């Protein structure tokens, strides 16, 4: 597996040479990256970035991959102009940094993006995916936003919403077996709570040997034994969206 000595390895394998197939737009007070398929569609996916922000090439690569599967994909700046975390930052300051960027306080921005997708893009069936910080945001939205059809939370930080499990929409949770940020006991507890409280379809899947950030890691920067699980995670994500959108 890739060497992950840092607390959050989502930035490993940055596609610094990957400019993206889409474009940057201004949606009211939010900047966003959007990519549209050549054929008209009423299906769209909001992509919620991790702590490294909306401009991370890895995240744009996944947004473009959604577009190649027939979706309008939009990745807004949910930090709304505040600086994203940099790998060179001092991790000792992370707790203070993240307090000003609450994954449970993005509802205003989501409403703006939903209006844009419906009014400007003709979207009627809208889902959401998110990575790490964004994965926690997906869980938040699946608990309360009635306008989204489904969600995929990729290694979302469980502890942020550990006591809330009554999901409104079908939700797929992706975790890595070797994730140092999200221990397996947290995943087990999440499954137990969902089983007790959740009335909609859900799935929790653990991918063997995988670490935090594995699904949106650059293919060329992984070990051969990781590649099948990365591809499986991406395929599972697309299949879930296809099922509910």
């Amino acid at each position: 597996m890739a060497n992950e000595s840092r607390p959050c390895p989502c930035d490993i394998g940055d596609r610094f040479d990957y400019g993206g197939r889409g474009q940057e737009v201004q949606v009211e007070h939010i900047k966003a990256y959007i990519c549209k398929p050549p054929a008209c569609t009423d299906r769209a996916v909001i992509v919620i970035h991790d702590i490294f922000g909306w401009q991370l090439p890895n995240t744009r690569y996944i947004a473009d991959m959604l577009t190649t599967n027939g979706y309008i994909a939009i990745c807004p700046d949910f930090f709304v102009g505040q600086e994203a975390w940099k790998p060179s930052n001092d991790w000792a300051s992370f707790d203070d940094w993240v307090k000003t960027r609450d994954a449970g306080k993005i509802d205003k921005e989501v409403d703006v993006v939903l209006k844009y997708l419906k009014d400007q893009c003709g979207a009627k069936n809208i889902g959401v995916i998110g990575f790490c910080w964004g994965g926690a945001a997906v869980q938040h939205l699946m608990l309360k936003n009635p306008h989204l059809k489904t969600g995929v939370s990729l290694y979302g930080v469980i502890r942020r919403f550990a006591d809330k499990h009554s999901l409104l929409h079908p939700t797929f949770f992706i975790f890595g077996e070797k994730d140092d940020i999200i221990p397996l006991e947290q995943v087990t507890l999440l499954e137990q709570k969902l089983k007790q409280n959740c009335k909609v379809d859900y799935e929790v899947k653990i991918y063997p040997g995988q670490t935090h950030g594995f699904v949106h890691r650059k293919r060329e920067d992984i070990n051969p034994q990781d590649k099948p699980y990365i591809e499986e995670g991406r395929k599972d994500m697309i299949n879930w969206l296809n099922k509910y959108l």
Side-chain angles (χ1 to χ4, degrees), residues 9 20 26 45 50 58 60 70 104-105 116 140 154 156 164 171 178 200 223 230 236:
Q26 188 76 33
V45 178
D50 56 27
N58 288 20
R60 294 192 172 187
K105 294 182 179 178
Y116 172 82
H140 163 73
L154 297 99
K164 299 172 183 175
T171 308
K178 303 292 185 181
V200 298
N223 286 348
I230 292 172
D236 289 345

Side-chain angles (χ1 to χ4, degrees), residues 48-72:
I48 307 183
H49 54 74
D50 56 27
I51 61 171
F52 298 103
W54 72 295
Q55 294 177 310
L56 185 74
N58 288 20
T59 304
R60 294 192 172 187
Y61 176 68
I62 296 294
D64 289 356
M65 188 186 76
L66 290 169
T67 297
T68 63
N69 283 273
Y71 293 96
I72 300 163

Side-chain angles (χ1 to χ4, degrees), residues 85 90-100 159-160:
W85 185 258
D90 180 4
W91 283 100
S93 66
F94 179 75
D95 286 346
D96 288 335
W97 177 89
V98 82
K99 283 176 186 174
T100 64
R159 65 180 180 272
R160 301 202 185 282

Side-chain angles (χ1 to χ4, degrees), residues 157-205:
V157 185
I158 297 172
R159 65 180 180 272
R160 301 202 185 282
F161 303 102
D163 58 341
K164 299 172 183 175
H165 306 93
S166 299
L167 303 172
L168 297 177
H169 313 288
T171 308
F172 184 39
F173 296 87
I174 288 176
F175 296 105
E177 180 191 21
K178 303 292 185 181
D179 191 327
D180 290 336
I181 295 173
I182 306 170
L184 283 180
E185 52 265 28
Q186 287 186 18
V187 179
T188 301
L189 184 59
L190 173 67
E191 285 188 280
Q192 291 172 353
K193 295 291 187 181
L194 287 170
K195 190 173 182 179
Q196 292 168 6
N197 300 287
C198 191
K199 301 292 192 288
V200 298
D201 193 13
Y202 69 88
E203 183 177 347
V204 176
K205 186 168 178 177

Side-chain angles (χ1 to χ4, degrees), residues 12 18 48 137:
I12 287 178
Y18 185 75
I48 307 183

